[in-house]
Amino acid sequence: MADAVLFEFLHTEMVAELWAPDPDPGSGGKKRSLSVLEGLGFRVGQALGERLPRETPAFREELDALKFLCKDLWAAMFQKHMDGLRTNHQALFCCQGTYVLQDNSFPLLIAMGSGPQYLEEAPKFLAFTCGLLCGALHTLGFQSLVTASVASLPACKFQVVIQKS
């Protein structure tokens, strides 16, 4: 439990520091901040992707890798399992290799208020986790693009597109 609280505080401070007003208006601002958070998450995801599955044989199927993320990686990071994993057959650009991971009470969004005014603040709290998922998949041998969306707090969805080589 203490680890979870420490991580939440660290994450909140990273977001706050990166979202602090930038005296240089030409530096990229919020877009750059999202990139930095995603990059940090990617590196953490790579490390966890190496460390966590040591006892597991290599993942040959992308669905097995995503199940690993939903159970093992999520439990290591957030002390809970992901609430849902499904394929997204409604994606316009691709049917195969597109998955939606659902967390109905995402720990990094729970501390936020539940009103609609907080929805626009949510993306900055999801960038690190998008990078985390992408980095872990990269280490497991799958190139991916991960995006997040929030319709109501504290629930969120991560759309994972596995890129075919």
Side-chain angles (χ1 to χ4, degrees), residues 20-98:
D22 190 351
D24 179 12
S27 68
K30 293 179 182 178
K31 191 177 236 182
R32 182 181 168 282
S33 295
L34 282 175
S35 264
V36 169
L37 283 168
E38 194 170 357
L40 290 168
F42 188 89
R43 289 189 290 283
V44 171
Q46 283 180 310
L48 288 172
E50 289 175 3
R51 180 169 286 192
L52 291 176
R54 285 191 176 159
E55 311 299 315
T56 310
F59 297 104
R60 295 177 193 257
E61 300 292 324
E62 56 193 42
L63 186 56
D64 292 332
L66 285 154
K67 287 178 182 177
F68 165 78
L69 296 180
C70 290
K71 292 180 182 176
D72 300 324
L73 180 93
W74 221 247
M77 286 298 297
F78 305 113
Q79 289 71 49
K80 65 185 272 300
H81 290 167
M82 186 78 73
D83 295 311
L85 165 64
R86 64 181 173 82
T87 57
N88 187 1
H89 292 294
Q90 283 125 12
L92 297 174
F93 51 88
C94 165
C95 287
Q96 290 186 325
T98 303

Side-chain angles (χ1 to χ4, degrees), residues 86-165:
R86 64 181 173 82
T87 57
N88 187 1
H89 292 294
Q90 283 125 12
L92 297 174
F93 51 88
C94 165
C95 287
Q96 290 186 325
T98 303
Y99 301 88
V100 176
L101 288 65
Q102 173 79 36
D103 191 328
N104 296 324
S105 58
F106 185 55
L108 299 177
L109 295 178
I110 287 176
M112 295 180 72
S114 59
Q117 69 272 25
Y118 298 108
L119 283 176
E120 80 177 45
E121 296 295 316
K124 64 186 176 187
F125 291 95
L126 300 172
F128 177 87
T129 309
C130 287
L132 178 86
L133 294 169
C134 196
L137 284 168
H138 182 267
T139 299
L140 298 174
F142 300 96
Q143 301 301 315
S144 63
L145 174 64
V146 180
T147 57
S149 62
V150 177
S152 65
L153 293 168
C156 65
K157 293 180 182 179
F158 296 92
Q159 181 165 321
V160 178
V161 179
I162 304 293
Q163 299 170 342
K164 307 295 182 190
S165 39

